[in-house]
PDB file of all heavy atoms in Angstrom:
ATOM      1  N   PHE F  26     -69.669  45.901  46.776  1.00 96.00           N
ATOM      2  CA  PHE F  26     -68.247  45.939  46.432  1.00 96.00           C
ATOM      3  C   PHE F  26     -67.993  44.886  45.354  1.00 96.00           C
ATOM      4  O   PHE F  26     -68.372  43.724  45.510  1.00 96.00           O
ATOM      5  CB  PHE F  26     -67.451  45.621  47.698  1.00 96.00           C
ATOM      6  CG  PHE F  26     -65.972  45.763  47.570  1.00 96.00           C
ATOM      7  CD1 PHE F  26     -65.350  46.956  47.868  1.00 96.00           C
ATOM      8  CD2 PHE F  26     -65.198  44.686  47.163  1.00 96.00           C
ATOM      9  CE1 PHE F  26     -63.973  47.084  47.758  1.00 96.00           C
ATOM     10  CE2 PHE F  26     -63.827  44.802  47.051  1.00 96.00           C
ATOM     11  CZ  PHE F  26     -63.212  46.012  47.352  1.00 96.00           C
ATOM     12  N   LEU F  27     -67.362  45.279  44.247  1.00 97.00           N
ATOM     13  CA  LEU F  27     -67.112  44.352  43.142  1.00 97.00           C
ATOM     14  C   LEU F  27     -65.667  43.857  43.165  1.00 97.00           C
ATOM     15  O   LEU F  27     -64.732  44.610  42.904  1.00 97.00           O
ATOM     16  CB  LEU F  27     -67.406  45.006  41.787  1.00 97.00           C
ATOM     17  CG  LEU F  27     -68.850  45.405  41.523  1.00 97.00           C
ATOM     18  CD1 LEU F  27     -68.995  45.970  40.116  1.00 97.00           C
ATOM     19  CD2 LEU F  27     -69.795  44.239  41.733  1.00 97.00           C
ATOM     20  N   ASP F  28     -65.517  42.580  43.466  1.00 96.00           N
ATOM     21  CA  ASP F  28     -64.232  41.877  43.463  1.00 96.00           C
ATOM     22  C   ASP F  28     -64.120  41.197  42.099  1.00 96.00           C
ATOM     23  O   ASP F  28     -64.773  40.197  41.843  1.00 96.00           O
ATOM     24  CB  ASP F  28     -64.230  40.862  44.611  1.00 96.00           C
ATOM     25  CG  ASP F  28     -63.168  39.785  44.502  1.00 96.00           C
ATOM     26  OD1 ASP F  28     -62.217  39.937  43.711  1.00 96.00           O
ATOM     27  OD2 ASP F  28     -63.299  38.778  45.219  1.00 96.00           O
ATOM     28  N   VAL F  29     -63.301  41.775  41.213  1.00 97.00           N
ATOM     29  CA  VAL F  29     -63.189  41.275  39.848  1.00 97.00           C
ATOM     30  C   VAL F  29     -61.933  40.411  39.737  1.00 97.00           C
ATOM     31  O   VAL F  29     -60.812  40.899  39.856  1.00 97.00           O
ATOM     32  CB  VAL F  29     -63.173  42.442  38.838  1.00 97.00           C
ATOM     33  CG1 VAL F  29     -62.963  41.928  37.427  1.00 97.00           C
ATOM     34  CG2 VAL F  29     -64.489  43.228  38.934  1.00 97.00           C
ATOM     35  N   HIS F  30     -62.153  39.129  39.533  1.00 96.00           N
ATOM     36  CA  HIS F  30     -61.103  38.107  39.505  1.00 96.00           C
ATOM     37  C   HIS F  30     -60.722  37.834  38.055  1.00 96.00           C
ATOM     38  O   HIS F  30     -61.454  37.180  37.320  1.00 96.00           O
ATOM     39  CB  HIS F  30     -61.636  36.850  40.191  1.00 96.00           C
ATOM     40  CG  HIS F  30     -60.685  35.719  40.221  1.00 96.00           C
ATOM     41  ND1 HIS F  30     -61.083  34.443  40.550  1.00 96.00           N
ATOM     42  CD2 HIS F  30     -59.353  35.626  39.981  1.00 96.00           C
ATOM     43  CE1 HIS F  30     -60.048  33.623  40.504  1.00 96.00           C
ATOM     44  NE2 HIS F  30     -58.984  34.329  40.149  1.00 96.00           N
ATOM     45  N   LEU F  31     -59.556  38.339  37.651  1.00 97.00           N
ATOM     46  CA  LEU F  31     -59.098  38.217  36.274  1.00 97.00           C
ATOM     47  C   LEU F  31     -58.352  36.909  36.054  1.00 97.00           C
ATOM     48  O   LEU F  31     -57.165  36.799  36.357  1.00 97.00           O
ATOM     49  CB  LEU F  31     -58.203  39.406  35.899  1.00 97.00           C
ATOM     50  CG  LEU F  31     -58.829  40.786  36.019  1.00 97.00           C
ATOM     51  CD1 LEU F  31     -57.832  41.852  35.578  1.00 97.00           C
ATOM     52  CD2 LEU F  31     -60.125  40.882  35.228  1.00 97.00           C
ATOM     53  N   MET F  32     -59.043  35.925  35.536  1.00 96.00           N
ATOM     54  CA  MET F  32     -58.417  34.667  35.134  1.00 96.00           C
ATOM     55  C   MET F  32     -58.144  34.765  33.639  1.00 96.00           C
ATOM     56  O   MET F  32     -58.739  34.069  32.818  1.00 96.00           O
ATOM     57  CB  MET F  32     -59.339  33.489  35.465  1.00 96.00           C
ATOM     58  CG  MET F  32     -59.467  33.238  36.949  1.00 96.00           C
ATOM     59  SD  MET F  32     -60.546  31.843  37.303  1.00 96.00           S
ATOM     60  CE  MET F  32     -62.113  32.696  37.383  1.00 96.00           C
ATOM     61  N   ILE F  33     -57.246  35.699  33.314  1.00 96.00           N
ATOM     62  CA  ILE F  33     -56.971  36.006  31.915  1.00 96.00           C
ATOM     63  C   ILE F  33     -55.466  36.049  31.666  1.00 96.00           C
ATOM     64  O   ILE F  33     -54.680  36.326  32.567  1.00 96.00           O
ATOM     65  CB  ILE F  33     -57.616  37.337  31.479  1.00 96.00           C
ATOM     66  CG1 ILE F  33     -57.049  38.527  32.242  1.00 96.00           C
ATOM     67  CG2 ILE F  33     -59.128  37.272  31.648  1.00 96.00           C
ATOM     68  CD1 ILE F  33     -57.554  39.871  31.772  1.00 96.00           C
ATOM     69  N   SER F  34     -55.098  35.799  30.443  1.00 96.00           N
ATOM     70  CA  SER F  34     -53.712  35.878  30.017  1.00 96.00           C
ATOM     71  C   SER F  34     -53.299  37.349  29.902  1.00 96.00           C
ATOM     72  O   SER F  34     -54.066  38.175  29.399  1.00 96.00           O
ATOM     73  CB  SER F  34     -53.570  35.178  28.661  1.00 96.00           C
ATOM     74  OG  SER F  34     -52.262  35.272  28.194  1.00 96.00           O
ATOM     75  N   ARG F  35     -52.133  37.664  30.391  1.00 96.00           N
ATOM     76  CA  ARG F  35     -51.565  39.013  30.310  1.00 96.00           C
ATOM     77  C   ARG F  35     -52.564  40.092  30.757  1.00 96.00           C
ATOM     78  O   ARG F  35     -52.968  40.959  29.971  1.00 96.00           O
ATOM     79  CB  ARG F  35     -51.060  39.281  28.899  1.00 96.00           C
ATOM     80  CG  ARG F  35     -49.979  38.321  28.470  1.00 96.00           C
ATOM     81  CD  ARG F  35     -49.436  38.492  27.049  1.00 96.00           C
ATOM     82  NE  ARG F  35     -49.796  39.692  26.359  1.00 96.00           N
ATOM     83  CZ  ARG F  35     -50.531  39.735  25.227  1.00 96.00           C
ATOM     84  NH1 ARG F  35     -50.960  38.625  24.671  1.00 96.00           N
ATOM     85  NH2 ARG F  35     -50.804  40.886  24.650  1.00 96.00           N
ATOM     86  N   PRO F  36     -52.968  40.077  32.019  1.00 97.00           N
ATOM     87  CA  PRO F  36     -53.992  41.021  32.474  1.00 97.00           C
ATOM     88  C   PRO F  36     -53.582  42.489  32.379  1.00 97.00           C
ATOM     89  O   PRO F  36     -54.454  43.354  32.257  1.00 97.00           O
ATOM     90  CB  PRO F  36     -54.229  40.615  33.933  1.00 97.00           C
ATOM     91  CG  PRO F  36     -52.992  39.916  34.339  1.00 97.00           C
ATOM     92  CD  PRO F  36     -52.480  39.230  33.109  1.00 97.00           C
ATOM     93  N   ASP F  37     -52.291  42.772  32.372  1.00 97.00           N
ATOM     94  CA  ASP F  37     -51.856  44.170  32.310  1.00 97.00           C
ATOM     95  C   ASP F  37     -52.430  44.911  31.108  1.00 97.00           C
ATOM     96  O   ASP F  37     -52.745  46.087  31.187  1.00 97.00           O
ATOM     97  CB  ASP F  37     -50.323  44.256  32.273  1.00 97.00           C
ATOM     98  CG  ASP F  37     -49.692  43.834  33.571  1.00 97.00           C
ATOM     99  OD1 ASP F  37     -50.096  44.368  34.624  1.00 97.00           O
ATOM    100  OD2 ASP F  37     -48.801  42.975  33.549  1.00 97.00           O
ATOM    101  N   ARG F  38     -52.587  44.210  30.002  1.00 96.00           N
ATOM    102  CA  ARG F  38     -53.053  44.857  28.776  1.00 96.00           C
ATOM    103  C   ARG F  38     -54.503  45.310  28.863  1.00 96.00           C
ATOM    104  O   ARG F  38     -54.946  46.169  28.085  1.00 96.00           O
ATOM    105  CB  ARG F  38     -52.859  43.920  27.576  1.00 96.00           C
ATOM    106  CG  ARG F  38     -53.681  42.667  27.649  1.00 96.00           C
ATOM    107  CD  ARG F  38     -53.255  41.601  26.619  1.00 96.00           C
ATOM    108  NE  ARG F  38     -53.808  40.335  26.996  1.00 96.00           N
ATOM    109  CZ  ARG F  38     -55.032  39.921  26.668  1.00 96.00           C
ATOM    110  NH1 ARG F  38     -55.791  40.661  25.910  1.00 96.00           N
ATOM    111  NH2 ARG F  38     -55.470  38.751  27.079  1.00 96.00           N
ATOM    112  N   LEU F  39     -55.258  44.776  29.829  1.00 97.00           N
ATOM    113  CA  LEU F  39     -56.685  45.103  29.945  1.00 97.00           C
ATOM    114  C   LEU F  39     -57.052  45.774  31.269  1.00 97.00           C
ATOM    115  O   LEU F  39     -58.242  45.993  31.526  1.00 97.00           O
ATOM    116  CB  LEU F  39     -57.522  43.838  29.767  1.00 97.00           C
ATOM    117  CG  LEU F  39     -57.415  43.158  28.406  1.00 97.00           C
ATOM    118  CD1 LEU F  39     -58.117  41.817  28.410  1.00 97.00           C
ATOM    119  CD2 LEU F  39     -57.966  44.053  27.319  1.00 97.00           C
ATOM    120  N   LEU F  40     -56.078  46.092  32.091  1.00 98.00           N
ATOM    121  CA  LEU F  40     -56.381  46.654  33.407  1.00 98.00           C
ATOM    122  C   LEU F  40     -57.262  47.895  33.330  1.00 98.00           C
ATOM    123  O   LEU F  40     -58.227  48.024  34.082  1.00 98.00           O
ATOM    124  CB  LEU F  40     -55.098  46.972  34.175  1.00 98.00           C
ATOM    125  CG  LEU F  40     -54.336  45.782  34.730  1.00 98.00           C
ATOM    126  CD1 LEU F  40     -53.045  46.256  35.385  1.00 98.00           C
ATOM    127  CD2 LEU F  40     -55.173  44.971  35.701  1.00 98.00           C
ATOM    128  N   ASP F  41     -56.911  48.812  32.443  1.00 98.00           N
ATOM    129  CA  ASP F  41     -57.685  50.055  32.364  1.00 98.00           C
ATOM    130  C   ASP F  41     -59.162  49.807  32.094  1.00 98.00           C
ATOM    131  O   ASP F  41     -60.023  50.449  32.691  1.00 98.00           O
ATOM    132  CB  ASP F  41     -57.102  50.992  31.302  1.00 98.00           C
ATOM    133  CG  ASP F  41     -55.785  51.615  31.731  1.00 98.00           C
ATOM    134  OD1 ASP F  41     -55.570  51.801  32.946  1.00 98.00           O
ATOM    135  OD2 ASP F  41     -54.958  51.902  30.848  1.00 98.00           O
ATOM    136  N   SER F  42     -59.462  48.870  31.214  1.00 97.00           N
ATOM    137  CA  SER F  42     -60.871  48.621  30.898  1.00 97.00           C
ATOM    138  C   SER F  42     -61.628  48.046  32.095  1.00 97.00           C
ATOM    139  O   SER F  42     -62.803  48.371  32.301  1.00 97.00           O
ATOM    140  CB  SER F  42     -61.013  47.719  29.677  1.00 97.00           C
ATOM    141  OG  SER F  42     -60.413  46.471  29.901  1.00 97.00           O
ATOM    142  N   PHE F  43     -60.957  47.226  32.904  1.00 97.00           N
ATOM    143  CA  PHE F  43     -61.623  46.689  34.098  1.00 97.00           C
ATOM    144  C   PHE F  43     -61.725  47.740  35.194  1.00 97.00           C
ATOM    145  O   PHE F  43     -62.725  47.793  35.915  1.00 97.00           O
ATOM    146  CB  PHE F  43     -60.918  45.424  34.589  1.00 97.00           C
ATOM    147  CG  PHE F  43     -61.192  44.237  33.715  1.00 97.00           C
ATOM    148  CD1 PHE F  43     -60.257  43.800  32.806  1.00 97.00           C
ATOM    149  CD2 PHE F  43     -62.407  43.584  33.773  1.00 97.00           C
ATOM    150  CE1 PHE F  43     -60.516  42.726  31.968  1.00 97.00           C
ATOM    151  CE2 PHE F  43     -62.693  42.515  32.945  1.00 97.00           C
ATOM    152  CZ  PHE F  43     -61.742  42.085  32.037  1.00 97.00           C
ATOM    153  N   ILE F  44     -60.735  48.581  35.306  1.00 97.00           N
ATOM    154  CA  ILE F  44     -60.786  49.676  36.283  1.00 97.00           C
ATOM    155  C   ILE F  44     -61.930  50.620  35.932  1.00 97.00           C
ATOM    156  O   ILE F  44     -62.736  50.990  36.792  1.00 97.00           O
ATOM    157  CB  ILE F  44     -59.423  50.400  36.334  1.00 97.00           C
ATOM    158  CG1 ILE F  44     -58.381  49.487  36.989  1.00 97.00           C
ATOM    159  CG2 ILE F  44     -59.531  51.738  37.051  1.00 97.00           C
ATOM    160  CD1 ILE F  44     -56.940  49.901  36.784  1.00 97.00           C
ATOM    161  N   GLU F  45     -62.024  50.990  34.672  1.00 97.00           N
ATOM    162  CA  GLU F  45     -63.068  51.915  34.212  1.00 97.00           C
ATOM    163  C   GLU F  45     -64.464  51.304  34.268  1.00 97.00           C
ATOM    164  O   GLU F  45     -65.460  52.031  34.332  1.00 97.00           O
ATOM    165  CB  GLU F  45     -62.750  52.389  32.792  1.00 97.00           C
ATOM    166  CG  GLU F  45     -61.510  53.250  32.726  1.00 97.00           C
ATOM    167  CD  GLU F  45     -60.959  53.425  31.324  1.00 97.00           C
ATOM    168  OE1 GLU F  45     -61.610  52.990  30.338  1.00 97.00           O
ATOM    169  OE2 GLU F  45     -59.851  53.990  31.198  1.00 97.00           O
ATOM    170  N   SER F  46     -64.558  49.980  34.259  1.00 97.00           N
ATOM    171  CA  SER F  46     -65.863  49.319  34.276  1.00 97.00           C
ATOM    172  C   SER F  46     -66.576  49.442  35.613  1.00 97.00           C
ATOM    173  O   SER F  46     -67.775  49.201  35.695  1.00 97.00           O
ATOM    174  CB  SER F  46     -65.715  47.835  33.921  1.00 97.00           C
ATOM    175  OG  SER F  46     -65.112  47.126  34.990  1.00 97.00           O
ATOM    176  N   GLY F  47     -65.833  49.795  36.666  1.00 97.00           N
ATOM    177  CA  GLY F  47     -66.456  49.952  37.976  1.00 97.00           C
ATOM    178  C   GLY F  47     -66.019  48.940  39.009  1.00 97.00           C
ATOM    179  O   GLY F  47     -66.589  48.884  40.097  1.00 97.00           O
ATOM    180  N   ALA F  48     -65.002  48.144  38.714  1.00 98.00           N
ATOM    181  CA  ALA F  48     -64.467  47.205  39.702  1.00 98.00           C
ATOM    182  C   ALA F  48     -63.945  47.978  40.910  1.00 98.00           C
ATOM    183  O   ALA F  48     -63.363  49.054  40.756  1.00 98.00           O
ATOM    184  CB  ALA F  48     -63.336  46.386  39.086  1.00 98.00           C
ATOM    185  N   ASP F  49     -64.166  47.436  42.095  1.00 97.00           N
ATOM    186  CA  ASP F  49     -63.603  48.031  43.309  1.00 97.00           C
ATOM    187  C   ASP F  49     -62.264  47.415  43.651  1.00 97.00           C
ATOM    188  O   ASP F  49     -61.402  48.064  44.246  1.00 97.00           O
ATOM    189  CB  ASP F  49     -64.563  47.834  44.489  1.00 97.00           C
ATOM    190  CG  ASP F  49     -65.850  48.608  44.290  1.00 97.00           C
ATOM    191  OD1 ASP F  49     -65.773  49.845  44.127  1.00 97.00           O
ATOM    192  OD2 ASP F  49     -66.922  47.980  44.277  1.00 97.00           O
ATOM    193  N   LEU F  50     -62.106  46.156  43.289  1.00 97.00           N
ATOM    194  CA  LEU F  50     -60.883  45.411  43.553  1.00 97.00           C
ATOM    195  C   LEU F  50     -60.542  44.627  42.295  1.00 97.00           C
ATOM    196  O   LEU F  50     -61.420  44.024  41.682  1.00 97.00           O
ATOM    197  CB  LEU F  50     -61.090  44.456  44.732  1.00 97.00           C
ATOM    198  CG  LEU F  50     -59.934  43.529  45.092  1.00 97.00           C
ATOM    199  CD1 LEU F  50     -59.832  43.378  46.603  1.00 97.00           C
ATOM    200  CD2 LEU F  50     -60.085  42.171  44.448  1.00 97.00           C
ATOM    201  N   ILE F  51     -59.277  44.676  41.916  1.00 98.00           N
ATOM    202  CA  ILE F  51     -58.800  43.908  40.766  1.00 98.00           C
ATOM    203  C   ILE F  51     -57.923  42.785  41.302  1.00 98.00           C
ATOM    204  O   ILE F  51     -56.942  43.033  42.014  1.00 98.00           O
ATOM    205  CB  ILE F  51     -57.985  44.775  39.777  1.00 98.00           C
ATOM    206  CG1 ILE F  51     -58.775  45.996  39.334  1.00 98.00           C
ATOM    207  CG2 ILE F  51     -57.491  43.928  38.610  1.00 98.00           C
ATOM    208  CD1 ILE F  51     -59.914  45.721  38.398  1.00 98.00           C
ATOM    209  N   ASN F  52     -58.283  41.573  40.945  1.00 97.00           N
ATOM    210  CA  ASN F  52     -57.629  40.369  41.446  1.00 97.00           C
ATOM    211  C   ASN F  52     -56.908  39.703  40.280  1.00 97.00           C
ATOM    212  O   ASN F  52     -57.541  39.250  39.334  1.00 97.00           O
ATOM    213  CB  ASN F  52     -58.741  39.462  42.001  1.00 97.00           C
ATOM    214  CG  ASN F  52     -58.234  38.308  42.789  1.00 97.00           C
ATOM    215  OD1 ASN F  52     -57.090  37.902  42.660  1.00 97.00           O
ATOM    216  ND2 ASN F  52     -59.112  37.753  43.598  1.00 97.00           N
ATOM    217  N   VAL F  53     -55.561  39.694  40.324  1.00 98.00           N
ATOM    218  CA  VAL F  53     -54.768  39.123  39.237  1.00 98.00           C
ATOM    219  C   VAL F  53     -54.074  37.845  39.706  1.00 98.00           C
ATOM    220  O   VAL F  53     -53.809  37.674  40.891  1.00 98.00           O
ATOM    221  CB  VAL F  53     -53.716  40.124  38.700  1.00 98.00           C
ATOM    222  CG1 VAL F  53     -54.385  41.329  38.073  1.00 98.00           C
ATOM    223  CG2 VAL F  53     -52.742  40.550  39.786  1.00 98.00           C
ATOM    224  N   HIS F  54     -53.780  36.971  38.761  1.00 97.00           N
ATOM    225  CA  HIS F  54     -53.068  35.732  39.071  1.00 97.00           C
ATOM    226  C   HIS F  54     -51.573  35.958  38.987  1.00 97.00           C
ATOM    227  O   HIS F  54     -51.078  36.485  37.980  1.00 97.00           O
ATOM    228  CB  HIS F  54     -53.485  34.610  38.111  1.00 97.00           C
ATOM    229  CG  HIS F  54     -54.663  33.856  38.602  1.00 97.00           C
ATOM    230  ND1 HIS F  54     -54.554  32.670  39.272  1.00 97.00           N
ATOM    231  CD2 HIS F  54     -55.974  34.154  38.552  1.00 97.00           C
ATOM    232  CE1 HIS F  54     -55.759  32.249  39.608  1.00 97.00           C
ATOM    233  NE2 HIS F  54     -56.640  33.138  39.185  1.00 97.00           N
ATOM    234  N   VAL F  55     -50.865  35.546  40.030  1.00 96.00           N
ATOM    235  CA  VAL F  55     -49.415  35.677  40.053  1.00 96.00           C
ATOM    236  C   VAL F  55     -48.793  34.947  38.863  1.00 96.00           C
ATOM    237  O   VAL F  55     -47.779  35.393  38.316  1.00 96.00           O
ATOM    238  CB  VAL F  55     -48.833  35.173  41.400  1.00 96.00           C
ATOM    239  CG1 VAL F  55     -49.069  33.689  41.587  1.00 96.00           C
ATOM    240  CG2 VAL F  55     -47.348  35.475  41.511  1.00 96.00           C
ATOM    241  N   GLU F  56     -49.417  33.875  38.415  1.00 95.00           N
ATOM    242  CA  GLU F  56     -48.885  33.070  37.313  1.00 95.00           C
ATOM    243  C   GLU F  56     -48.857  33.847  35.987  1.00 95.00           C
ATOM    244  O   GLU F  56     -48.133  33.479  35.074  1.00 95.00           O
ATOM    245  CB  GLU F  56     -49.710  31.787  37.132  1.00 95.00           C
ATOM    246  CG  GLU F  56     -49.750  30.885  38.331  1.00 95.00           C
ATOM    247  CD  GLU F  56     -50.857  31.227  39.324  1.00 95.00           C
ATOM    248  OE1 GLU F  56     -51.638  32.180  39.086  1.00 95.00           O
ATOM    249  OE2 GLU F  56     -50.932  30.548  40.359  1.00 95.00           O
ATOM    250  N   GLU F  57     -49.647  34.902  35.880  1.00 96.00           N
ATOM    251  CA  GLU F  57     -49.749  35.661  34.627  1.00 96.00           C
ATOM    252  C   GLU F  57     -49.137  37.058  34.708  1.00 96.00           C
ATOM    253  O   GLU F  57     -49.296  37.834  33.770  1.00 96.00           O
ATOM    254  CB  GLU F  57     -51.216  35.785  34.202  1.00 96.00           C
ATOM    255  CG  GLU F  57     -51.743  34.551  33.536  1.00 96.00           C
ATOM    256  CD  GLU F  57     -51.063  34.252  32.201  1.00 96.00           C
ATOM    257  OE1 GLU F  57     -50.833  35.178  31.397  1.00 96.00           O
ATOM    258  OE2 GLU F  57     -50.754  33.071  31.965  1.00 96.00           O
ATOM    259  N   CYS F  58     -48.485  37.379  35.806  1.00 96.00           N
ATOM    260  CA  CYS F  58     -47.930  38.730  35.979  1.00 96.00           C
ATOM    261  C   CYS F  58     -46.428  38.654  36.235  1.00 96.00           C
ATOM    262  O   CYS F  58     -45.998  38.536  37.391  1.00 96.00           O
ATOM    263  CB  CYS F  58     -48.619  39.445  37.132  1.00 96.00           C
ATOM    264  SG  CYS F  58     -50.356  39.799  36.822  1.00 96.00           S
TER     265      CYS F  58
END
């Protein structure tokens, strides 16, 4: 199971690429959303 922890600025702009990469779980920071 791939838990992908996005410590990135404005993660919404890249969600599709991480979803398509094979992540099972997308982990976003409340501070950036």
Side-chain angles (χ1 to χ4, degrees):
F26 186 91
L27 296 183
D28 163 16
V29 176
H30 179 193
L31 301 182
M32 290 180 271
I33 63 175
S34 178
R35 299 178 12 243
D37 291 308
R38 64 193 164 86
L39 297 172
L40 286 176
D41 288 331
S42 61
F43 286 102
I44 290 165
E45 293 164 7
S46 72
D49 294 302
L50 176 142
I51 305 288
N52 191 339
V53 296
H54 271 263
V55 65
E56 300 87 1
E57 281 295 317
C58 294

